[in-house]
C-alpha cells in the first residue's frame, strides 16, 4: 500500500510538472520592463515569481512574438539579464543571484497562502505575515514605509492611543509584543513618545509577524512576535539611500569591503525638531503633550530623537556566514517653564535602547544547518522633574528604569526530505531589571520605590513541519525553566492546514505562551502621563508570571483575483494585574491579580487587478478581565477593548505614480463612570464616541539619466480633521485629609490626532 501511494504521488507530481512544460502561450515584447513581462507570464502560467525589486528594476526583456513554454521564457530571462530563475516548486520561482538560492528554499518551506496581502510586499504564509518594507506599495497614511504603522493596517492589530509603537494585537497590550531586530530585544521601539517607529524602514530588512501558532523558537511574550531581520547580502558595488521628511533626515549605506566576502551596512536617522518645528511636528506634539504644560517648543525647550545601526557581514565560503549587528535608539526631552510665583519648572527625560548581536550560520550539509546567536540589549529610562524656588531651595522627583538583557541561542535545522523538516535548539536568557523612584530637596532625599531583580531562563524547543498531500502539519513545544523563581512552563504549539483546492485553504492552531517581564504604572504622578509605565520582572508576589492560551481557526478563499481571509480566535490569560493593564488610578498602591478572556474575528475581503487593489478589513473583539476584590469578581471590558473596527482602502498605480486612500472607523473604547463624590461607580460600562478618519498617501518615482532612483511622496493623516475623544484617564486628587483614605478622582480627556501632513524625498544610487 505504501509503495502504491508513493507511486500515485510521484505520478501526480510528474504529470503536473510536465503540463507546465507542454503549455505554450503567445508573447511578444520589445525592450519591455522586466516587471511587466513577469506579471504577464505569472497570469498565463498561474505561477509566482519572487524577487527583490532592485534586481529587476533596470532590466528589459525582448521576446519575438510567438508561443513560448515556461522553461523557454525562464531561459530567455537568464540569457538576457544574467539572473537565475530558480524553481522552488511547481507554483513558485525565485529570481536571484546564486548567493540567495538556499535562503529562498528555506523561506518557501512556509508556503505562501496569500501574496500581496493588502499590498504588494506583504505576504501571508501558513503561520505568519511577512513584510518587505522596500517592496511595500503605498499604504494610506503611512510615510516612508514605517514598519509599525504598516503592521496596524493588518486586521486584528490596533493602536487605541494612536501611536506607532503602542500595538495591541488581539486584545493584548503593547508590552506583550516581542520585538527583535537581528535578535536584539527592543523595549522602546518608538520616537516622539511612540508616534513614529524607532526602526529605520529604509534599511533592507524582512519583518516576520506572528499573531498565532508562533514558532516555539520565539517566546518571552504572550501576545505577538515581530522578528525583524536585516539583509545578509554583500553588495557588489557601493549603494547609498538618503532621504528627508518633515521630521527627520536619514542615510543608509551598503558597501563591499572584500568582494563577495566582507560587506558593511550603516544607517543613521536624526530629527531636526530641535531647530525647526514643522506643521507635522506641531500636530504630533499637540496630541502627545495635551493635558500637560508643554505648550511651546523653541531653542530652549527641545525634543529630539535619533537612531543608528551598523552590520558587518562576513562569508568566508559557501557554507559559513558571520554577522555582527548594532543598533542605537535615543529620545531626549528638555523643557523649562516659569510659573507665576517666579519658580522655575524643568523636566528632562532620556530614553535609550541599544544592543548588539553576533550570528553564525553554518551549513554542514544540504540537510543540516546550525545558527548560533549571542545578543545584548540595554534599555535606560531617566526622568527628572525639578521645581526651583530659589538658588538654594528646590524640590525634585526622579525616576529610573533600566534593563540589561543578554543571552545565547543554539538553533539547528534538519531536513529529512522535501516535505519534512525539524528545528530544535537551546537558549539561555538573562534579565536584570531595576527601577528607582526618588523624591528629594535641598535637605532630604527619600526613596519612594527601589527594586532590582534578576532571572536566568533556560529554554529548550523542538518544531517539525510535515507536508503530505494537501495537509500541512506544524507542531512543536517550548520548555522554559525560570531559575530564580524555580518555576517552569511547558508550551505546546500546533498548526494544521488543509488545502481543499487551489482556491480554498482551511487551518486551525493552538499555542501556549508565558511572560515574566511586563510594564506597570508608576505609583507617583508626573506630567508625562504617556511615559508613566515601568518595566518589572515577575517575582511570584505582586507580579506573577503571565500565561496565555490561544485557539484559532480560519480559512482563505482565492478566485478570479478575489480574496477572502477569515480568522477567529479564543484566548485566555492568567497572572495579570490591574496595574499592568492600567485600569485603576496610577496612584493606587493596591495590586489586584486576575485573569482575562478574549474572543475575536478578523476578516479581509480584497479585489486585485494589474494596476489597482482595493480591500476591506473588519475586526470584532470582546476582551474582558476580572480581578479579585474588584467589581464583585465579575468580568468587565478592558480599557483598550475596541469591539468593532472597519477599514476601506484603495491603492492605484499609474506607471511612475501611486496613490492610496483609506477610511478607518472603530467603535469607542469603554471607560468607567464617576459619581458625584468623585469615586468610581461602574467599571468600564460607558463607551466613548466612535472614531473615524480618512488617510491619503501618494508617491512619484523615476530614474535620472545617471540611473539614480528618486522618490517623492506625501501622506495626509486624518484628512478631514476629525478630533475625537480616544481615552479618559482618572487622576487621583489629594485636597483634604480624607482623600488619602477615601479616593476621589478627576477626569482628563485625551483627543485623537488632528490633520497631519507629511512629505518625503528619497534618492538611491
Amino acid at each position: 500500500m505504501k509503495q502504491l501511494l508513493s507511486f500515485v504521488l510521484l505520478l501526480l507530481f510528474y504529470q503536473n510538472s510536465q503540463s507546465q512544460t507542454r503549455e505554450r502561450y503567445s508573447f511578444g515584447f520589445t525592450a519591455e520592463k522586466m516587471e511587466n513581462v513577469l506579471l504577464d507570464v505569472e497570469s498565463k502560467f498561474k505561477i509566482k515569481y519572487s524577487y527583490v525589486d532592485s534586481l529587476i528594476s533596470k532590466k528589459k526583456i525582448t521576446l519575438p512574438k510567438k508561443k513560448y513554454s515556461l522553461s523557454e521564457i525562464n531561459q530567455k530571462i537568464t540569457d538576457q539579464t544574467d539572473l537565475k530563475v530558480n524553481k522552488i516548486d511547481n507554483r513558485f520561482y525565485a529570481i536571484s543571484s546564486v548567493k540567495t538560492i538556499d535562503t529562498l528554499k528555506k523561506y518557501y518551506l512556509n508556503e505562501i497562502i496569500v501574496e500581496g496581502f493588502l499590498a504588494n510586499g506583504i505576504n501571508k504564509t501558513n503561520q505568519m505575515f511577512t513584510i518587505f518594507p522596500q517592496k511595500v506599495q503605498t499604504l494610506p497614511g503611512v510615510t516612508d514605509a514605517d514598519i509599525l504603522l504598516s503592521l496596524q493596517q493588518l486586521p486584528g492589530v490596533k493602536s487605541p492611543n494612536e501611536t506607532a509603537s503602542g500595538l495591541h494585537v488581539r486584545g493584548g497590550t503593547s508590552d506583550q509584543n516581542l520585538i527583535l531586530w537581528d535578535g536584539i530585544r527592543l523595549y522602546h521601539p518608538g520616537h516622539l513618545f511612540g508616534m513614529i517607529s524607532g526602526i529605520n524602514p529604509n534599511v533592507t530588512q524582512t519583518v516576520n509577524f506572528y499573531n498565532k501558532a508562533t514558532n516555539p523558537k520565539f517566546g518571552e511574550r504572550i501576545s505577538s512576535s515581530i522578528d525583524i531581520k536585516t539583509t545578509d547580502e554583500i553588495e557588489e558595488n557601493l549603494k547609498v539611500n538618503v532621504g528627508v521628511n518633515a521630521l527627520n533626515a536619514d542615510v543608509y549605506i551598503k558597501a563591499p569591503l572584500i568582494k563577495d566576502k566582507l560587506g558593511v551596512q550603516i544607517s543613521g536617522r536624526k530629527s531636526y525638531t530641535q531647530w525647526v518645528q514643522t506643521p507635522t511636528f506641531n500636530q504630533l506634539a499637540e496630541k502627545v503633550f495635551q493635558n500637560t504644560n508643554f505648550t511651546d517648543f523653541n531653542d530652549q525647550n527641545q525634543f529630539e530623537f535619533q537612531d543608528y545601526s551598523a552590520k558587518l557581514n562576513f562569508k568566508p565560503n559557501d557554507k559559513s556566514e558571520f554577522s555582527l549587528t548594532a543598533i542605537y535608539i535615543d529620545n531626549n526631552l528638555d523643557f523649562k517653564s516659569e510659573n507665576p510665583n517666579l519658580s522655575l519648572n524643568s523636566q528632562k527625560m532620556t530614553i535609550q535602547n541599544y544592543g548588539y548581536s553576533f550570528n553564525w550560520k553554518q551549513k554542514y550539509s544540504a540537510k543540516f544547518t546550525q545558527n548560533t546567536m549571542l545578543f545584548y540589549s540595554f534599555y535606560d529610562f531617566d526622568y527628572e522633574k525639578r521645581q526651583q524656588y530659589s538658588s538654594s531651595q528646590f524640590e525634585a522627583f526622579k525616576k529610573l528604569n533600566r534593563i540589561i538583557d543578554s543571552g545565547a541561542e543554539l538553533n539547528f535545522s534538519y531536513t529529512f526530505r522535501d516535505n519534512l523538516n525539524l528545528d530544535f535548539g537551546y537558549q539561555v536568557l538573562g534579565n536584570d531589571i531595576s527601577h528607582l523612584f526618588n523624591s528629594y530637596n535641598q535637605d532630604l532625599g527619600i526613596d519612594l520605590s527601589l527594586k532590582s531583580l534578576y532571572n536566568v531562563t533556560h529554554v529548550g524547543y523542538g518544531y517539525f513541519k510535515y507536508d503530505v498531500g494537501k495537509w500541512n502539519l506544524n507542531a512543536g513545544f517550548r520548555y522554559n525553566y525560570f531559575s530564580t523563581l524555580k518555576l517552569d512552563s511547558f508550551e505546546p504549539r500546533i498548526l494544521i492546514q488543509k488545502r481543499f483546492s487551489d482556491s480554498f485553504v482551511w487551518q486551525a492552531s493552538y499555542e501556549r505562551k508565558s511572560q515574566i517581564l511586563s510594564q506597570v504604572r508608576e505609583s507617583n504622578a508626573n506630567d508625562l502621563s504617556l511615559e508613566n509605565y515601568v518595566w518589572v520582572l515577575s517575582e511570584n508576589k505582586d507580579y506573577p508570571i503571565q500565561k496565555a492560551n490561544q485557539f484559532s481557526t480560519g480559512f482563505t478563499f482565492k478566485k478570479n483575483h478575489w480574496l477572502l481571509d477569515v480568522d477567529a480566535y479564543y484566548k485566555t490569560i492568567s497572572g495579570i494585574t490591574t496595574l499592568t493593564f492600567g485600569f485603576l488610578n496610577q496612584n493606587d498602591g493596591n495590586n489586584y491579580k486576575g485573569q482575562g478572556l478574549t474572543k475575536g474575528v478578523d476578516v479581509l475581503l480584497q479585489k486585485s487587478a494589474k494596476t489597482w487593489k482595493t480591500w476591506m478589513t473588519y475586526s470584532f473583539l470582546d476582551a474582558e478581565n476580572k480581578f479579585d476584590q474588584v467589581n464583585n469578581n465579575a468580568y468587565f471590558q478592558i480599557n483598550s477593548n475596541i469591539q468593532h473596527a472597519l477599514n476601506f482602502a484603495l491603492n492605484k498605480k499609474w506607471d511612475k505614480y501611486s496613490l492610496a486612500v483609506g477610511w478607518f472607523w472603530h467603535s469607542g473604547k469603554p471607560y468607567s463612570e464617576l459619581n458625584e463624590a468623585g469615586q468610581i461607580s461602574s467599571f468600564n460600562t460607558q463607551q466613548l464616541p466612535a472614531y473615524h478618519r480618512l488617510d491619503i498617501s501618494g508617491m512619484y518615482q523615476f530614474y535620472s539619466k545617471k540611473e539614480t532612483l528618486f522618490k517623492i511622496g506625501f501622506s495626509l493623516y486624518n484628512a478631514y480633521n476629525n478630533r475625537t475623544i480616544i481615552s479618559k484617564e482618572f487622576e487621583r486628587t489629594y485636597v483634604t485629609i480624607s482623600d488619602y483614605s477615601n479616593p476621589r478622582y478627576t477626569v482628563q480627556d485625551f483627543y485623537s490626532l488632528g490633520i497631519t501632513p507629511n512629505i518625503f524625498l528619497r534618492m538611491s544610487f
Side-chain angles (χ1 to χ4, degrees):
M1 183 66 184
K2 183 177 180 182
Q3 290 81 357
L4 178 61
L5 178 60
S6 299
F7 175 77
V8 172
L9 291 175
L10 180 61
L11 180 62
L12 290 174
F13 174 82
Y14 176 79
Q15 288 179 339
N16 188 33
S17 61
Q18 289 300 307
S19 65
Q20 284 187 341
T21 303
R22 292 193 300 266
E23 288 177 348
R24 305 177 74 86
Y25 294 98
S26 179
F27 297 93
F29 299 105
T30 302
E32 181 63 41
K33 289 183 178 179
M34 187 171 174
E35 178 184 6
N36 296 334
V37 174
L38 296 180
L39 288 173
D40 198 9
V41 175
E42 287 178 335
S43 176
K44 290 180 178 177
F45 285 100
K46 308 299 183 187
I47 62 165
K48 287 292 181 182
Y49 288 106
S50 176
Y51 52 86
V52 178
D53 284 349
S54 58
L55 278 178
I56 71 167
S57 60
K58 302 175 185 178
K59 307 293 185 183
K60 295 184 178 181
I61 302 294
T62 296
L63 294 175
K65 190 171 182 179
K66 67 173 187 176
K67 288 187 176 182
Y68 294 87
S69 67
L70 180 59
S71 60
E72 288 173 339
I73 290 180
N74 288 339
Q75 186 60 47
K76 290 287 186 182
I77 292 174
T78 300
D79 294 341
Q80 296 182 31
T81 64
D82 294 327
L83 296 174
K84 284 189 173 294
V85 181
N86 309 295
K87 182 177 180 180
I88 306 300
D89 57 30
N90 287 332
R91 294 179 60 205
F92 297 106
Y93 291 78
I95 300 175
S96 64
S97 62
V98 178
K99 298 178 290 184
T100 61
I101 295 175
D102 291 334
T103 302
L104 288 165
K105 286 184 177 179
K106 179 68 176 177
Y107 173 73
Y108 276 96
L109 286 174
N110 295 313
E111 181 184 0
I112 296 178
I113 298 176
V114 179
E115 188 172 27
F117 192 97
L118 299 183
N120 291 342
I122 304 177
N123 297 336
K124 181 181 180 181
T125 71
N126 53 10
Q127 65 171 155
M128 65 186 176
F129 293 92
T130 300
I131 300 178
F132 304 94
Q134 305 299 306
K135 297 180 65 175
V136 173
Q137 287 181 336
T138 307
L139 292 171
V142 178
T143 304
D144 243 4
D146 186 293
I147 292 173
L148 299 183
L149 287 176
S150 297
L151 286 173
Q152 293 180 26
Q153 306 272 332
L154 299 174
V157 183
K158 295 291 175 286
S159 179
N161 291 323
E162 272 195 317
T163 61
S165 59
L167 299 181
H168 289 232
V169 180
R170 295 187 165 186
T173 53
S174 58
D175 64 311
Q176 293 171 350
N177 302 315
L178 175 67
I179 303 179
L180 303 174
W181 198 82
D182 277 355
I184 303 168
R185 277 65 177 164
L186 300 183
Y187 291 91
H188 189 80
H191 288 314
L192 194 56
F193 291 87
M195 295 305 296
I196 65 173
S197 169
I199 304 162
N200 188 339
N202 298 295
V203 174
T204 305
Q205 55 202 316
T206 302
V207 182
N208 293 323
F209 171 65
Y210 299 83
N211 63 359
K212 65 178 180 183
T214 308
N215 188 319
K217 174 184 176 181
F218 303 105
E220 305 172 59
R221 304 290 188 275
I222 63 174
S223 187
S224 74
S225 296
I226 304 171
D227 182 29
I228 305 171
K229 294 182 179 297
T230 60
T231 181
D232 292 327
E233 293 305 307
I234 299 173
E235 296 291 342
E236 295 181 359
N237 302 296
L238 174 68
K239 291 191 176 181
V240 180
N241 186 328
V242 295
V244 62
N245 60 36
L247 296 172
N248 57 257
D250 71 275
V251 61
Y252 176 47
I253 300 173
K254 294 186 287 184
L257 301 179
I258 302 175
K259 185 178 180 180
D260 297 331
K261 297 291 185 182
L262 184 65
V264 66
Q265 306 170 37
I266 301 174
S267 79
R269 181 170 56 160
K270 184 171 177 56
S271 68
Y272 52 80
T273 54
Q274 63 271 37
W275 303 301
V276 178
Q277 291 79 48
T278 64
T280 305
F281 173 78
N282 290 334
Q283 284 292 89
L284 295 175
E286 180 182 351
K287 191 265 181 185
V288 168
F289 298 112
Q290 57 186 302
N291 295 319
T292 73
N293 64 351
F294 297 82
T295 57
D296 184 30
F297 287 86
N298 49 44
D299 293 338
Q300 181 182 10
N301 300 321
Q302 299 179 352
F303 180 88
E304 59 180 310
F305 61 83
Q306 56 192 337
D307 57 72
Y308 304 96
S309 70
K311 184 172 185 178
L312 192 67
N313 291 318
F314 177 51
K315 297 183 179 181
N317 51 58
D318 292 338
K319 295 185 177 181
S320 302
E321 296 182 22
F322 300 89
S323 65
L324 182 62
T325 305
I327 188 171
Y328 176 78
I329 300 173
D330 178 63
N331 288 263
N332 287 281
L333 174 72
D334 188 351
F335 199 93
K336 300 180 180 65
S337 61
E338 191 171 319
N339 294 332
N341 59 5
L342 300 182
S343 64
L344 184 64
N345 185 316
S346 65
Q347 297 195 51
K348 294 183 179 181
M349 185 201 69
T350 300
I351 305 177
Q352 294 181 338
N353 196 171
Y354 61 84
Y356 315 94
S357 67
F358 170 76
N359 279 272
W360 167 32
K361 299 177 183 178
Q362 185 68 39
K363 182 178 179 181
Y364 294 103
S365 68
K367 294 185 175 183
F368 186 51
T369 60
Q370 163 222 310
N371 188 352
T372 301
M373 183 181 71
L374 306 174
F375 72 89
Y376 173 88
S377 179
F378 182 82
Y379 167 79
D380 180 56
F381 178 95
D382 192 334
Y383 169 78
E384 182 183 52
K385 178 180 179 180
R386 186 182 184 95
Q387 192 84 13
Q388 192 77 39
Y389 300 106
S390 67
S391 59
S392 59
Q393 291 185 316
F394 69 90
E395 289 181 350
F397 169 73
K398 191 173 186 65
K399 179 172 69 172
L400 301 175
N401 189 202
R402 287 174 184 163
I403 301 175
I404 298 176
D405 196 345
S406 59
E409 297 183 9
L410 189 58
N411 307 302
F412 298 96
S413 180
Y414 187 82
T415 301
F416 293 92
R417 50 184 183 269
D418 289 343
N419 64 340
L420 179 59
N421 186 82
L422 173 65
D423 295 335
F424 60 97
Y426 167 76
Q427 303 170 0
V428 57
L429 313 170
N431 304 115
D432 186 350
I433 302 181
S434 60
H435 72 260
L436 167 67
F437 301 153
N438 181 258
S439 181
Y440 59 98
N441 57 29
Q442 68 279 356
D443 300 318
L444 181 66
I446 301 175
D447 289 342
L448 303 175
S449 180
L450 173 62
K451 184 172 289 188
S452 179
L453 294 172
Y454 180 74
N455 179 73
V456 175
T457 303
H458 299 273
V459 179
Y461 75 91
Y463 192 51
F464 76 89
K465 304 174 185 179
Y466 181 51
D467 302 339
V468 54
K470 295 186 177 182
W471 288 91
N472 295 329
L473 174 64
N474 296 356
F477 71 91
R478 180 182 177 91
Y479 175 77
N480 306 284
Y481 177 70
F482 309 107
S483 61
T484 303
L485 303 176
K486 300 188 184 307
L487 295 173
D488 60 5
S489 173
F490 181 76
E491 302 172 5
R493 317 272 176 90
I494 186 170
L495 181 144
I496 301 173
Q497 177 184 297
K498 172 67 181 296
R499 181 178 291 276
F500 289 93
S501 68
D502 289 340
S503 300
F504 188 79
V505 178
W506 166 86
Q507 66 178 26
S509 67
Y510 166 75
E511 67 178 9
R512 180 182 297 169
K513 292 182 175 182
S514 62
Q515 178 170 339
I516 63 170
L517 289 87
S518 60
Q519 284 184 315
V520 300
R521 300 191 71 172
E522 68 170 78
S523 57
N524 300 275
N526 67 68
D527 288 347
L528 297 176
S529 61
L530 276 176
E531 293 300 334
N532 59 5
Y533 287 91
V534 175
W535 285 95
V536 299
L537 191 65
S538 297
E539 27 76 291
N540 264 344
K541 183 181 178 183
D542 293 330
Y543 306 108
I545 297 175
Q546 298 181 18
K547 296 183 178 181
N549 296 274
Q550 180 179 220
F551 303 85
S552 68
T553 184
F555 67 88
T556 301
F557 180 77
K558 301 181 297 181
K559 194 166 187 179
N560 297 330
H561 303 292
W562 282 93
L563 166 66
L564 176 62
D565 188 81
V566 180
D567 205 31
Y569 56 91
Y570 179 90
K571 182 164 62 174
T572 61
I573 305 175
S574 62
I576 60 176
T577 66
T578 52
L579 296 181
T580 301
F581 280 79
F583 174 72
L584 294 183
N585 168 263
Q586 63 181 8
N587 299 313
D588 190 331
N590 295 322
N591 191 26
Y592 306 99
K593 300 179 182 65
Q595 57 192 39
L597 177 62
T598 301
K599 303 182 290 291
V601 179
D602 298 327
V603 180
L604 166 74
L605 179 62
Q606 179 174 295
K607 171 65 173 176
S608 301
K610 187 174 182 179
T611 61
W612 59 269
K613 185 172 293 187
T614 184
W615 64 88
M616 181 276 291
T617 65
Y618 169 75
S619 293
F620 168 76
L621 175 68
D622 181 17
E624 299 179 314
N625 291 337
K626 72 173 182 178
F627 302 94
D628 299 335
Q629 304 175 19
V630 175
N631 196 38
N632 297 320
N633 295 335
Y635 277 102
F636 57 87
Q637 296 183 79
I638 67 173
N639 276 9
S640 59
N641 189 47
I642 297 176
Q643 285 196 330
H644 305 281
L646 187 65
N647 172 30
F648 294 97
L650 170 68
N651 181 292
K652 173 65 176 174
K653 186 176 182 181
W654 301 270
D655 193 20
K656 300 176 183 178
Y657 298 88
S658 61
L659 180 70
V661 180
W663 186 72
F664 300 81
W665 176 94
H666 67 69
S667 54
K669 295 190 304 183
Y671 68 94
S672 298
E673 195 172 31
L674 298 181
N675 58 25
E676 295 180 355
Q679 297 178 335
I680 297 176
S681 60
S682 67
F683 290 85
N684 281 355
T685 58
Q686 305 301 308
Q687 192 170 24
L688 294 173
Y691 167 94
H692 56 88
R693 73 176 194 270
L694 177 70
D695 294 346
I696 305 172
S697 295
M699 184 175 66
Y700 171 67
Q701 58 181 351
F702 63 94
Y703 283 94
S704 69
K705 293 182 180 180
K706 296 183 179 180
E707 298 299 326
T708 298
L709 175 62
F710 288 90
K711 292 182 180 180
I712 303 172
F714 76 93
S715 66
L716 193 60
Y717 187 94
N718 193 2
Y720 51 70
N721 198 33
N722 179 45
R723 298 293 304 275
T724 306
I725 296 177
I726 57 174
S727 68
K728 287 180 177 284
E729 288 195 13
F730 298 138
E731 187 164 338
R732 189 168 177 176
T733 59
Y734 295 94
V735 179
T736 65
I737 299 236
S738 64
D739 290 339
Y740 287 86
S741 56
N742 299 307
R744 290 190 306 131
Y745 303 94
T746 57
V747 181
Q748 287 185 333
D749 293 335
F750 288 84
Y751 287 82
S752 61
L753 180 64
I755 181 171
T756 306
N758 203 344
I759 58 174
F760 72 89
L761 170 64
R762 184 153 300 282
M763 180 174 61
S764 303
F765 56 90

